[in-house]
Amino acid sequence: DGGITQSPKYLFRKEGQNVTLSCEQNLNHDAMYWYRQDPGQGLRLIYYSQIVNDFQKGDIAEGYSVSREKKESFPLTVTSAQKNPTAFYLCASSRLGGQRNYGYTFGSGTRLTVV
Amino acid sequence: AQRVTQPEKLLSVFKGAPVELKCNYSYSGSPELFWYVQYSRQRLQLLLRHISRESIKGFTADLNKGETSFHLKKPFAQEEDSAMYYCALIGWGNTPLVFGKGTRLSVIA
């Protein structure tokens, strides 16, 4: 199914808690990305990684952290420092150097709600 | 800086009418442009890409470098075209994809 798996599909977080969103791909893609999707805001880049053990901040990295210990996995942690975490989070992957031709493949998303 | 502008948040058309979803971009070099679509309860998927010059589900998009536009067009809208549409740009090197804010297309029967 699509090659990218995000879990869980729905996640509820209490104020002050950290939560981690999972993203796994079996497409052998080098690059992975996290976007946040809000109504009327489109998709905004949080973090991305092009090789294992390396990642770069996107436009809205504050309050988030990531790791890339394996090529297949790129988990996102939403920390308590993120002031407005309720959103839909999308993970994507691409061939490095191939994204100009092929674009990205997206996961099905995780909807995070602060309760 | 790279920027993608989709001026319409919502576009409503009648079934069978022509559709044009506008997309303008800002980039100093030669970008590659994409249209992504998100149907209700489905994942975001690639609709078409400039480089391939394809026509997918009757949609086409032409890159106009003079006007820096990449508008998405379909001559006859279908109800199943109702979805959220995102225009996206990628520059040279391995820079990430930049998205517009999206346009929700609603096709009325």
Side-chain angles (χ1 to χ4, degrees):
Chain A
D1 177 26
I4 295 188
T5 303
Q6 287 188 243
S7 62
K9 199 167 183 176
Y10 299 96
L11 187 57
F12 297 89
R13 192 196 91 170
K14 291 183 180 178
E15 296 275 357
Q17 274 185 340
N18 292 353
V19 291
T20 297
L21 284 60
S22 171
C23 179
E24 304 272 335
Q25 54 99 0
N26 61 5
L27 300 167
N28 199 33
H29 284 170
D30 294 296
M32 297 185 74
Y33 311 83
W34 275 104
Y35 285 87
R36 172 177 168 145
Q37 187 179 26
D38 296 281
Q41 296 289 326
L43 277 73
R44 293 180 290 169
L45 183 66
I46 305 172
Y47 269 99
Y48 65 103
S49 168
Q50 296 178 337
I51 54 173
V52 173
N53 292 324
D54 189 43
F55 45 82
Q56 285 74 42
K57 291 182 179 180
D59 300 316
I60 56 165
E62 186 176 348
Y64 300 98
S65 66
V66 293
S67 63
R68 187 90 185 275
E69 296 176 2
K70 299 186 299 182
K71 187 176 183 179
E72 303 79 20
S73 178
F74 191 41
L76 173 75
T77 296
V78 184
T79 74
S80 56
Q82 169 49 236
K83 291 184 171 55
N84 185 21
T86 295
F88 192 57
Y89 291 87
L90 286 170
C91 180
S93 71
S94 71
R95 303 180 199 180
L96 198 60
Q99 57 263 43
R100 280 178 65 88
N101 289 334
Y102 301 104
Y104 295 177
T105 301
F106 281 87
S108 55
T110 293
R111 184 165 298 282
L112 173 63
T113 303
V114 173
V115 296
Chain B
Q2 303 172 18
R3 186 185 300 174
V4 176
T5 302
Q6 294 180 250
E8 303 136 330
K9 280 188 179 179
L10 173 65
L11 183 64
S12 297
V13 300
F14 286 104
K15 179 181 172 182
V19 173
E20 182 177 73
L21 297 162
K22 290 184 169 37
C23 172
N24 289 89
Y25 66 89
S26 173
Y27 182 65
S28 57
S30 181
E32 283 302 329
L33 288 136
F34 304 84
W35 276 98
Y36 280 83
V37 60
Q38 192 173 33
Y39 300 103
S40 179
R41 294 190 175 83
Q42 293 188 27
R43 64 179 68 195
L44 197 65
Q45 56 187 281
L46 181 64
L47 179 62
L48 57 81
R49 45 200 167 119
H50 160 246
I51 196 170
S52 62
R53 306 286 198 273
E54 294 166 310
S55 172
I56 306 292
K57 299 185 179 183
F59 285 98
T60 59
D62 290 318
L63 180 62
N64 185 324
K65 292 187 179 181
E67 295 182 358
T68 60
S69 68
F70 189 57
H71 302 329
L72 184 68
K73 299 177 183 179
K74 185 171 182 177
F76 307 104
Q78 304 298 316
E79 287 179 76
E80 56 265 31
D81 295 329
S82 295
M84 195 74 184
Y85 291 80
Y86 292 97
C87 183
L89 170 157
I90 196 162
W92 281 104
N94 294 319
T95 55
L97 207 54
V98 174
F99 285 86
K101 293 189 176 181
T103 298
R104 181 167 296 283
L105 175 65
S106 176
V107 180
I108 305 162

